[in-house]
């Protein structure tokens, strides 16, 4: 589960940047590091599938690429990765080697999308237009 959580932002960024071509695209020198890592992760899953599995993966990634709701895309890609990792110890080891190792005691928080916020500890967060907060 930790691998899925760590890989999620990379997958979402890669699919958002490259669409369904993420599965067959070669990395460009100028590719964004996050999208490039997400692409490598999806390509690792792709290589381990048979022809039918590759077709299913292409369909799911294509649908995720066309989805406007980023949280839905992240959930779909997370489920896809979780299924791929479930019974494949070699793939888990390969992805563990790809992903950056979080330092002990650190917390990774990702915010993505217009007006997104990210915080480890927060009292009140108000986003959007026209909100006011009364003094306590």
């Amino acid at each position: 589960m930790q691998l899925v959580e760590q890989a999620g932002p990379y997958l979402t960024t890669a699919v958002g940047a490259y669409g369904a071509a993420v599965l067959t695209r070669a990395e460009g020198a100028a590719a964004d590091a996050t999208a490039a890592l997400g692409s490598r992760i999806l390509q690792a899953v792709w290589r381990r599938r048979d022809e039918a599995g590759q077709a299913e993966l292409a369909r799911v990634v294509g649908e995720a690429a066309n989805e406007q709701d980023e949280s839905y895309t992240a959930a779909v890609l997370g489920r896809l990765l979780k299924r791929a990792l479930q019974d494949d110890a070699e793939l888990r080891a390969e992805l563990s080697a790809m992903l950056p190792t979080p330092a002990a005691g650190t917390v990774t928080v990702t915010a993505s999308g217009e007006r997104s916020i990210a915080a480890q500890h927060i009292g009140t967060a108000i986003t959007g237009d026209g909100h006011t907060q009364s003094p306590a």
Side-chain angles (χ1 to χ4, degrees), residues 51-108:
E51 195 172 309
Q54 287 178 345
E56 177 195 9
L57 181 61
R59 181 188 57 76
V60 170
V61 169
E63 288 174 5
N66 291 326
E67 179 60 47
Q68 297 299 313
D69 182 354
E70 193 171 307
S71 62
Y72 175 81
T73 299
V76 167
L77 294 173
R79 281 191 306 272
L80 180 146
L81 184 59
K82 188 176 180 180
R83 278 196 322 256
L85 291 169
Q86 218 162 22
D87 297 319
D88 194 337
E90 289 179 22
L91 181 59
R92 285 193 301 270
E94 184 178 349
L95 297 190
S96 290
M98 280 185 203
L99 289 165
T101 306
T106 63
V107 174
T108 302

Side-chain angles (χ1 to χ4, degrees), residues 1-125:
M1 192 61 169
Q2 182 181 3
L3 281 174
V4 174
E5 289 175 7
Q6 280 183 276
Y10 298 102
L11 299 178
T12 304
T13 301
V15 170
Y18 307 129
V22 71
L23 296 171
T24 55
R25 156 182 207 291
E27 272 184 58
D32 175 74
T34 301
L37 180 54
S39 180
R40 287 197 312 272
I41 291 167
L42 284 168
Q43 288 173 3
V45 173
W46 170 270
R47 286 190 305 273
R48 302 185 73 81
R49 300 264 176 123
D50 61 14
E51 195 172 309
Q54 287 178 345
E56 177 195 9
L57 181 61
R59 181 188 57 76
V60 170
V61 169
E63 288 174 5
N66 291 326
E67 179 60 47
Q68 297 299 313
D69 182 354
E70 193 171 307
S71 62
Y72 175 81
T73 299
V76 167
L77 294 173
R79 281 191 306 272
L80 180 146
L81 184 59
K82 188 176 180 180
R83 278 196 322 256
L85 291 169
Q86 218 162 22
D87 297 319
D88 194 337
E90 289 179 22
L91 181 59
R92 285 193 301 270
E94 184 178 349
L95 297 190
S96 290
M98 280 185 203
L99 289 165
T101 306
T106 63
V107 174
T108 302
V109 180
T110 303
S112 180
E114 187 177 331
R115 297 183 183 192
S116 295
I117 63 170
Q120 181 177 0
H121 301 285
I122 192 163
T124 302

